[in-house]
Amino acid sequence: VQDWETIVTSMSNEPGVARRSRPTMKDVATLAGVGIKTVSRVINGEPNVSDATIDRVMRAANILDYQLDVYAGNLRRTDRRTQTIGLLVGNVANPFSGALHRAVEDATHDLGYAVISASLHDDSEREQRLVREFLRRRVDGLVLTTISRSQAYLLAEQERGTPMVFVDREPRGIDADSVVSANVAGASSATAHLVAHGHRSIACLGDRNEISTARLRVRGFLDEIGRAGIPSSEAHIVADLDDEAKSYAAVITLLDHPHPPTALFTAQNLVTIGAVRALRDRGREHDIALVGFDDIALADLVVPGVTVVAQDPEQIGRRAAERLLARIDGAQFPVESIHVPTTLIARGSGEIRPAHRSGG
Amino acid sequence: VQDWETIVTSMSNEPGVARRSRPTMKDVATLAGVGIKTVSRVINGEPNVSDATIDRVMRAANILDYQLDVYAGNLRRTDRRTQTIGLLVGNVANPFSGALHRAVEDATHDLGYAVISASLHDDSEREQRLVREFLRRRVDGLVLTTISRSQAYLLAEQERGTPMVFVDREPRGIDADSVVSANVAGASSATAHLVAHGHRSIACLGDRNEISTARLRVRGFLDEIGRAGIPSSEAHIVADLDDEAKSYAAVITLLDHPHPPTALFTAQNLVTIGAVRALRDRGREHDIALVGFDDIALADLVVPGVTVVAQDPEQIGRRAAERLLARIDGAQFPVESIHVPTTLIARGSGEIRPAHRSGG
DNA sequence: CTGAAAGCGCTAACAG
DNA sequence: CTGTTAGCGCTTTCAG
C-alpha cells in the first residue's frame, strides 16, 4: 500500500497546483498494475477477471475516486446507449408536470437511467430547441409534451431508431406512441355532472385553443351540451386562458353579467384556481356550480370543496416510461395511443343546484 | 442539388434496411465537399469561414438532419464543458422542489445548459448514488439537496474543480456554497406570531430529526418559547413526521388529549396539510391556531386561511444557479452560505386567540 | 484470464 | 480561409 501512495503522489499535477486532474481508466490501470482493458472489465462488471485482480482494481479506483465517463464509453459502444432519457413537460413547477416527472423517474431510476428534464412553457420554438438539445446529448429516448403544430421535424430522428413517447397531448405529423388523458370523455362527464344537477346555462373556460387538449375538452363539453338538448346559445365558451389571472378576470366578467351562467366548467387546473378565487371574491361560491378538469391541491379543504375530473399523471408517466423502455430494449409492438381514464371526484362545488329564476 | 441527392442516397445503409444511421461531421463534410474541420467551424459558429462555405455546410447539415454530439466534442475540448448541470431536489413532485427546479432551469436555459434532475426522497444512499450518476455524466456543476450525515465524499470531486452549490440544507464535512432559507429566524417568527396572539401552549410538529432544516426549525421554535418565558413543559415537540398521514395522526392524537395545545406550529408543508385536515376533521379549525413553515397552494382559499412563514424557493434556486454559473466561469470569490429570508403571511389560522380556560 | 491496437465523433494544434 | 493530424476516454476486436 505504501508503494501505491508514492504512485498516487507522483501522479498528481505539479506541486503547488491545487487542482488534481480527473483520473482515467489508464490512471487506475497504472496504479493497479494491470492493463486498461482489465479495468474496463472490472468497472463494468464483465466476467473473466480473477477475484484478486478485481480487488486490486477496485482498490485503485477507490483511492483515485475514479468515476467512469458514461459518454466516452458510449462513443465506441455498439449499442450507443447513454442511459439518459429526455423529458419535456409543460412546466416543472406545475403539479401535473411534477407528478408525471416523478412517475417517469420512478420507472427509470432503478435501471440506471438519468432524466434530463425541461419545461415547454407552451412555446413552439422552445419545444424544438429543447428537443434538439436532448438529441445533441444523445438521449436513449424521449418523453415529450408538445405544442408545435406538427412534430414532423422528428421524423428523421424516429427513422434513425430513437424511441419517443408523447404524453398529455398527441403528436401530429408523426406516427408514434402516446399516452394521454381521455380528454373528451372527461370533459363530457364533467358537463354531464352539471347537467344532472339541473344546470342548463353552463360556461366552459379553457386554455389556448392552439393546445390540442384544450380543443378536445371543449369538444367533450359541446358533445354533452348537445346530448342534453341545450341550445348552443346557452353554452358560453371562453378560450385562451393560459394563467390564473386571465381566468380570474374572465370569471369576474361572467359573474358581473346581468345573466351569468349557473355553472362553470373550467378545463385546466390554473383556470380552476382562478375561477375559485373569482367566485369567492364575488361571494358566489355557494350558488354557482363549478367542476374543474385536473385535480388541484387542497381542493377538499376549500369551502365548498372543489369538484373535479381528476387526471392520473402518475399513470400517464408510468405507462409512457414503460413503453419507452420497452422500445429502447428493441420491442417491436405496433404504435399505440393510450387513453388514461379520468375520475370525477365530487366535493361540493359541482353539486350546487341552480337557483330558480323568476323568468327568462 | 441533384448530385447531393445521389450522394445522400448512396450514403444510406443497405437497401431494405429502414434504419438510417446517424450522420456525423464526416458525412456532412463529404456531402458539402469540404473538410471536417470546416464543418466543425460552421456548426460551432467559429469565425473565418466564407459565407458561401457556411451556406454549403448548413445545407448539407439540414439535408442530413445533423445534430452535433455534445459529449464527443467535450472529450477533446480543453475546457471539458458538457453544458449540463446536475440538480438533486427533495422530490420533483413536491411544489417546493418544483419551484426550485423551475428557477434553476430559468437561470441556465438561455446559456444552453441542460438540467439532469433527480429526487432525493430523503434517502442517504440514494443521494450518493444519484450524485455519482451525475458525475459519471460529467456535469459541469452540481446543485444539491442532501440528507447524508456528511458530504465529505464530494471532497475529491471538489478538489478536482467541479463547482457545487448546496440548496435548502447546508452541507457537512465539506466547505462549499449553500443557499438556504433562514430556518431559525423563520421558525422564531412563526412562534412569535402565535405568542403575540396570546398562546402559551404551543406544539411544534416537524420532519425527521435527521434533516438539518427540521432541527433548525425546532431550534427557532424553542428560542422563541424561551424568550417568551414559557416553561418548556408547555412546549410539545413531535418529530419524525415525514408525510401527511403521519402528521394527520399526530395532530389527531394531540387534539384528543384532555389538554390539547391552543396552537400548532407545523414545520414543513406536508405536515401543515396533515394538520389542516386533522383540525377540520375534529372541527377545531376555528379555535386552535396554526402557523405552517413553507407556503402551500390554495392556503388562502381554505377556511380559515392558513397562516404560513413562506419560503422563497424561486430565490433559492435562482441564487444557487447564479452562483454555480459564476463558479463554472471560474469566479474565485470566497465560499458563502446565503440565507434567504422567509415571509410571514397572515391568513387567519395563525391569528386565532386561545379560548379562555377556566383553570390550570 | 489478460492486454495491445484500432477507432467512436469530435476539437486542438498546427500547416498551408 | 481551409484542411490534416493527433488524441480525448473509452470499448471493440483480436491475439495471446
Side-chain angles (χ1 to χ4, degrees):
Chain A
V1 177
Q2 261 175 309
D3 293 334
W4 286 24
E5 282 178 22
T6 314
I7 298 174
V8 173
T9 308
S10 73
M11 283 167 72
S12 69
N13 305 359
E14 313 153 38
V17 174
R19 187 174 296 190
R20 184 172 301 203
S21 69
R22 187 184 294 283
T24 70
M25 272 197 181
K26 202 167 142 196
D27 297 326
V28 177
T30 305
L31 181 56
V34 300
I36 179 178
K37 177 63 210 182
T38 299
V39 176
S40 174
R41 286 199 181 89
V42 173
I43 297 291
N44 290 291
E46 288 170 28
N48 299 327
V49 186
S50 73
D51 286 354
T53 305
I54 291 177
D55 189 58
R56 289 176 62 75
V57 171
M58 289 310 292
R59 299 248 306 275
N62 286 332
I63 288 172
L64 296 176
D65 189 42
Y66 173 75
Q67 307 281 356
L68 175 71
D69 184 327
V70 170
Y71 297 116
N74 162 260
L75 209 51
R76 190 67 172 85
R77 191 176 283 126
T78 19
D79 59 9
R80 313 299 321 266
R81 298 282 175 79
T82 56
Q83 296 275 103
T84 308
I85 75 171
L87 170 66
L88 186 53
V89 295
N91 176 352
V92 294
N94 184 301
F96 180 88
S97 296
L100 179 61
H101 188 167
R102 167 77 193 272
V104 170
E105 186 186 358
D106 286 351
T108 57
H109 172 79
D110 291 344
L111 284 71
Y113 285 91
V115 178
I116 302 184
S117 56
S119 301
L120 175 62
H121 294 323
D122 282 335
D123 175 337
S124 180
E125 279 180 40
R126 189 175 168 114
E127 168 193 330
Q128 298 182 36
R129 192 168 57 240
L130 288 169
V131 168
R132 192 216 301 283
E133 287 302 325
F134 289 159
L135 263 18
R136 283 162 47 99
R137 287 176 178 77
R138 297 296 187 265
V139 295
D140 292 339
L142 298 164
V143 176
L144 303 175
T145 307
T146 56
I147 179 77
S148 291
R149 196 170 289 274
S150 162
Q151 280 66 49
Y153 65 91
L154 277 165
L155 282 169
E157 193 60 35
Q158 187 186 45
E159 198 179 334
R160 223 168 258 150
T162 303
M164 52 188 77
V165 178
F166 292 85
V167 287
D168 190 31
R169 305 169 188 166
E170 289 177 353
R172 281 176 291 183
I174 191 169
D175 190 35
D177 291 317
S178 61
V179 184
V180 301
S181 288
N183 286 294
V184 175
S188 281
S189 76
T191 312
H193 188 75
L194 291 168
V195 168
H197 284 80
H199 296 278
R200 297 187 59 83
S201 173
I202 307 174
C204 169
L205 316 193
D207 206 334
R208 288 157 52 192
N209 247 310
E210 187 182 353
I211 300 168
S212 60
T213 51
R215 292 193 303 274
L216 294 172
R217 292 171 197 175
V218 171
R219 187 190 301 168
F221 168 76
L222 288 175
D223 283 358
E224 197 60 35
I225 290 292
R227 268 194 288 274
I230 298 173
S232 53
S233 60
E234 294 279 315
H236 318 246
I237 294 181
V238 186
D240 299 320
L241 308 175
D242 57 4
D243 64 28
E244 194 190 311
K246 286 191 189 126
S247 168
Y248 178 89
V251 174
I252 290 289
T253 303
L254 278 177
L255 297 181
D256 289 350
H257 194 81
H259 296 295
T262 64
L264 308 177
F265 166 53
T266 48
Q268 198 250 48
N269 57 7
L270 297 179
V271 177
T272 304
I273 293 172
V276 171
R277 291 224 157 85
L279 288 169
R280 175 75 61 91
D281 284 359
R282 283 295 186 259
R284 306 297 299 271
E285 74 269 29
H286 289 290
D287 62 72
I288 293 191
L290 171 69
V291 177
F293 197 107
D294 197 15
D295 205 1
I296 55 182
L298 300 204
D300 58 323
L301 294 173
V302 174
V303 178
V306 183
T307 295
V308 300
V309 171
Q311 299 190 80
D312 191 346
E314 290 82 6
Q315 189 182 160
I316 293 175
R318 182 173 49 73
R319 297 186 71 173
E322 286 168 359
R323 197 114 188 139
L324 191 76
L325 291 173
R327 295 274 186 207
I328 290 173
D329 270 2
Q332 289 294 340
F333 40 74
V335 164
E336 198 177 345
S337 176
I338 299 174
H339 284 232
V340 174
T342 57
T343 313
L344 192 138
I345 306 176
R347 295 189 177 115
S349 73
E351 294 71 52
I352 295 169
R353 294 191 164 268
H356 287 288
R357 284 212 212 144
S358 42
Chain B
V1 178
Q2 260 174 309
D3 293 333
W4 285 24
E5 281 178 22
T6 315
I7 297 174
V8 173
T9 308
S10 72
M11 283 167 72
S12 70
N13 304 359
E14 312 153 40
V17 174
R19 187 173 299 190
R20 184 173 301 203
S21 68
R22 187 184 294 282
T24 68
M25 271 195 181
K26 204 167 141 195
D27 297 326
V28 177
T30 305
L31 181 56
V34 300
I36 179 176
K37 179 62 207 179
T38 299
V39 176
S40 174
R41 286 199 183 92
V42 173
I43 297 290
N44 290 290
E46 287 169 29
N48 299 328
V49 187
S50 73
D51 286 353
T53 306
I54 291 178
D55 188 59
R56 289 175 62 76
V57 171
M58 288 310 291
R59 299 247 308 271
N62 286 333
I63 288 172
L64 296 176
D65 190 42
Y66 173 75
Q67 307 279 359
L68 175 72
D69 185 327
V70 170
Y71 297 116
N74 162 260
L75 208 50
R76 189 66 173 84
R77 191 175 282 123
T78 12
D79 59 8
R80 312 299 322 266
R81 298 281 174 80
T82 56
Q83 296 276 102
T84 308
I85 75 171
L87 170 66
L88 186 53
V89 295
N91 176 353
V92 293
N94 184 301
F96 179 89
S97 296
L100 180 61
H101 187 167
R102 167 77 193 272
V104 170
E105 187 187 356
D106 286 351
T108 58
H109 172 79
D110 291 344
L111 284 69
Y113 284 90
V115 178
I116 303 184
S117 56
S119 301
L120 175 63
H121 294 322
D122 282 337
D123 176 336
S124 180
E125 280 180 40
R126 188 173 168 116
E127 168 193 329
Q128 297 181 36
R129 192 168 58 241
L130 288 169
V131 169
R132 195 216 302 282
E133 288 301 327
F134 289 158
L135 263 17
R136 283 163 47 99
R137 287 176 178 77
R138 299 296 187 263
V139 295
D140 292 338
L142 298 164
V143 176
L144 303 175
T145 308
T146 56
I147 178 77
S148 291
R149 196 171 289 275
S150 162
Q151 281 66 49
Y153 64 91
L154 277 166
L155 282 169
E157 193 59 34
Q158 186 186 46
E159 198 177 335
R160 223 167 259 150
T162 303
M164 52 188 78
V165 178
F166 292 85
V167 286
D168 191 30
R169 305 169 188 166
E170 287 177 354
R172 280 177 292 184
I174 190 168
D175 190 35
D177 291 316
S178 60
V179 184
V180 302
S181 288
N183 285 293
V184 175
S188 281
S189 75
T191 311
H193 189 74
L194 291 169
V195 169
H197 284 81
H199 296 277
R200 297 188 59 84
S201 173
I202 308 173
C204 169
L205 317 193
D207 205 333
R208 290 157 53 192
N209 247 310
E210 188 183 350
I211 300 168
S212 60
T213 51
R215 293 194 303 275
L216 293 172
R217 292 170 196 175
V218 171
R219 187 189 303 167
F221 169 75
L222 287 176
D223 282 357
E224 196 59 34
I225 290 293
R227 267 193 288 274
I230 298 172
S232 53
S233 59
E234 293 279 316
H236 319 248
I237 293 180
V238 187
D240 298 321
L241 308 175
D242 55 5
D243 63 29
E244 194 190 311
K246 286 192 189 124
S247 168
Y248 178 89
V251 174
I252 290 290
T253 303
L254 277 178
L255 297 182
D256 290 349
H257 194 81
H259 296 296
T262 64
L264 308 177
F265 166 53
T266 49
Q268 198 249 47
N269 57 6
L270 297 179
V271 177
T272 304
I273 293 172
V276 170
R277 292 224 156 84
L279 288 168
R280 175 75 61 92
D281 284 359
R282 282 294 186 263
R284 305 296 299 272
E285 74 269 28
H286 289 290
D287 62 72
I288 292 191
L290 170 69
V291 177
F293 197 108
D294 196 15
D295 205 1
I296 55 181
L298 300 204
D300 57 325
L301 294 174
V302 174
V303 178
V306 183
T307 295
V308 300
V309 171
Q311 299 189 81
D312 192 346
E314 291 83 4
Q315 188 180 162
I316 293 175
R318 182 173 50 74
R319 298 187 71 172
E322 286 169 357
R323 197 115 188 137
L324 191 76
L325 291 173
R327 294 275 187 208
I328 290 174
D329 270 0
Q332 290 294 341
F333 41 74
V335 164
E336 198 177 344
S337 176
I338 299 173
H339 285 233
V340 175
T342 57
T343 312
L344 193 138
I345 305 177
R347 296 188 177 115
S349 74
E351 294 71 51
I352 295 169
R353 295 190 164 268
H356 287 286
R357 287 212 211 142
S358 42

